[in-house]
Amino acid sequence: MSICKKILGGLIALGAMAPPTVAQQGKPNIVYILADDMGYGDVSIYNPDSRISTPHIDGLAREGMRFTDAHAPTSVCTPTRYAIMTGTYAWRSRLPVGVLRGYGRTLIPQGSFTVGSLLQQQGYHTAVIGKWHLGLDWAVKESHRGVLNPSNPQMNEFGMLRDMDPEHIDFTQPPKGGPLSLGFDYSFILPASLDMEPYCYLERDTLIELPTAHTPGNDLNTGYTGAFWRAGKMAPSFEFDRVLPTFTDKAVQYIEQQAKQPQPFFLYLPLPAPHTPWLPADDQRGASSAGDYGDFVQMVDDAVGRVLRAIDSLGIGQNTLVIFTSDNGPYWRPQFAERFDHHATGPYRGMKGDAFEGGHRIPFIVRWPAAVKQGTASDALTTLANLPATCAAILKTGIPTDAAPDSYSILPVLKGETAVIPGQRAVIHQASNGYLAIRQGPWKLIDGLGSGGFSEPQSEEAVSGGPAGQLYNLEKDPQETTNRYQQFPDKVKELRALLEEIKKMQKTH
């Protein structure tokens, strides 16, 4: 059987078709679409000067609520995904700084609370289709068992091995610690980013095809842009330019099947784009005015459109909560902004990886016709860690007292009852080098000098008589041009104290 037939037929075993029905009253279907490295300024409804057209995402905003002050907890992908799943900032985790690669071990310990397990317990059928990037416990060959010994120098203090040597892995054995052990009934995933080996799909935590082939990599001298991917193992039938369409096909098929079932469903759809490799389809190439990156963003918009059409055509749109957002800011260097006259972060400074706003301020749109007034906008400060508490509030259920300490419900904002998120005193952002930034009201404190990410300089040494960190008033200075650290020492002291308090906090729900 061909790999395509395997992919398109994989969902049949989910269960026999039942007569059409609607989700249980009061329990909306939930579809969470997460773009990968997509900027605030890439979406045309956020940025009128965008050189990219996003009509489907714009339409979603017109039919729901658009947030203008939403943030990824971290400006790179793995830790943001950890926070989405657990409601916990990743600097509290076994991997307090950095990201996993494709052979990284499972970051979320088995038995942990996740938004998937919460919804399973509330009667939902749960699925993840897309880029996982939270690690898998790949089977280890008998001759290499020692790599998992806690005394291994590659293990961190939390017992976390960030990456494995693929020669130590037995790919004939299914890995453990995947989505099925973390609250999902069905999974169809890429292990990590589309530019990281192994290049293969896993369905229900099992490889569809062994990664017995090898790719030499592509566009290796582009500075991690263009059609870049690293060398490594791949499945023989793997096609890089078919990954985004494949995930979209699977998502639509899943929605079509679950719409006919009596139970509500949760679909987590972490798209692999527009993260590198930038691989627009032939019929999309040149469609934007921002090069291959812009064309790839427009393919993401088309994927969102297909998912929305599936939901609406099945008559389940009224009671389906759809969230569209991104895991962090774009990897869009200054020379690209100049070349294409496109500012992927909109008016904000920095890019992916940075503590600056461009690294973590993201599009965030919610459509739920049964509860959210269409065509509305909110400037409520929010973060992607708030998903678990929001789902719990919608379902009028609780969260274990030792779980999701950084998650707060945005439901009162969605319903128009409040302008701010109750109980949330501040939000914390993390840069790729570990810098923490705390935001409360208009004030933002960064606990270091430099971007903390990919913008130069990443870090700077404090000089005698100079500031030791950065303080910005985003209401007056949204571009973060003027460091007020020395001008407002009391505000610095106040925010530092609050940051330390939150770091030590164990919230009860």
Side-chain angles (χ1 to χ4, degrees), residues 356-437:
F356 299 132
E357 289 294 286
H360 50 78
R361 190 179 290 234
I362 48 174
F364 186 86
I365 298 168
V366 180
R367 188 188 81 168
W368 183 14
V372 177
K373 185 178 179 180
Q374 68 177 12
T376 53
S378 172
D379 61 1
L381 176 64
T382 189
T383 172
L384 302 189
N386 287 339
L387 178 64
T390 302
C391 289
I394 290 170
L395 299 171
K396 297 180 174 62
T397 189
I399 289 177
T401 56
D402 60 347
D406 305 305
S407 193
Y408 297 84
S409 172
I410 69 170
L411 183 60
V413 176
L414 294 176
K415 290 186 172 182
E417 297 170 353
T418 64
V420 297
I421 296 170
Q424 178 184 267
R425 298 172 62 192
V427 302
I428 297 177
H429 321 300
Q430 186 180 32
S432 61
N433 75 343
Y435 279 179
L436 292 180

Side-chain angles (χ1 to χ4, degrees), residues 7-85:
I7 289 171
L8 293 175
L11 280 165
I12 293 174
L14 282 171
M17 293 296 185
T21 184
V22 295
Q24 297 170 17
Q25 188 66 29
K27 291 188 175 183
N29 303 309
I30 302 171
V31 177
Y32 195 100
I33 307 173
L34 183 71
D36 193 3
D37 288 11
M38 190 168 176
Y40 184 97
D42 288 329
V43 180
S44 45
I45 199 166
Y46 281 93
N47 179 14
D49 296 322
S50 176
R51 308 291 284 175
I52 302 170
S53 176
T54 54
H56 302 295
I57 300 171
D58 296 351
L60 185 71
R62 286 190 290 270
E63 294 169 354
M65 180 176 286
R66 175 171 63 95
F67 286 74
T68 59
D69 204 356
H71 299 264
T74 310
S75 51
V76 286
C77 49
T78 294
T80 287
R81 291 156 201 271
Y82 179 89
I84 289 170
M85 286 291 100

Side-chain angles (χ1 to χ4, degrees), residues 174-334:
K176 297 180 179 179
L180 296 192
S181 67
L182 294 170
F184 291 95
D185 297 303
Y186 175 77
S187 65
F188 186 89
I189 62 169
L190 183 73
S193 297
L194 189 51
D195 59 10
M196 297 178 178
E197 65 166 325
Y199 305 109
C200 54
Y201 298 112
L202 294 95
E203 186 169 32
R204 295 185 180 85
D205 292 1
T206 302
L207 284 163
I208 287 179
E209 189 178 24
L210 297 181
T212 55
H214 182 273
T215 173
N218 194 64
D219 275 8
L220 297 176
N221 299 315
T222 61
Y224 309 106
T225 64
F228 163 81
W229 68 77
R230 296 169 178 83
K233 290 181 176 293
M234 62 180 290
S237 299
F238 192 86
E239 298 176 286
F240 288 85
D241 60 351
R242 289 296 306 162
V243 174
L244 177 58
T246 293
F247 286 145
T248 307
D249 289 345
K250 295 288 282 186
V252 169
Q253 188 180 7
Y254 176 81
I255 292 167
E256 290 173 344
Q257 287 198 340
Q258 290 309 124
K260 299 175 182 179
Q261 306 302 324
Q263 66 185 132
F265 66 86
F266 169 55
L267 170 60
Y268 171 44
L269 180 58
L271 302 174
H275 192 291
T276 49
W278 301 339
L279 295 171
D282 290 342
D283 61 354
Q284 287 281 357
R285 197 172 297 278
S288 76
S289 298
D292 285 350
Y293 172 80
D295 300 344
F296 209 28
V297 170
Q298 293 194 180
M299 280 190 67
V300 171
D301 183 73
D302 285 349
V304 172
R306 285 194 59 201
V307 170
L308 294 175
R309 283 194 298 274
I311 292 168
D312 294 341
S313 67
L314 292 163
I316 59 173
Q318 183 71 14
N319 199 37
T320 297
L321 168 64
V322 179
I323 299 173
F324 172 82
T325 188
S326 178
D327 66 343
N328 47 248
Y331 190 77
W332 192 245
R333 291 196 172 276

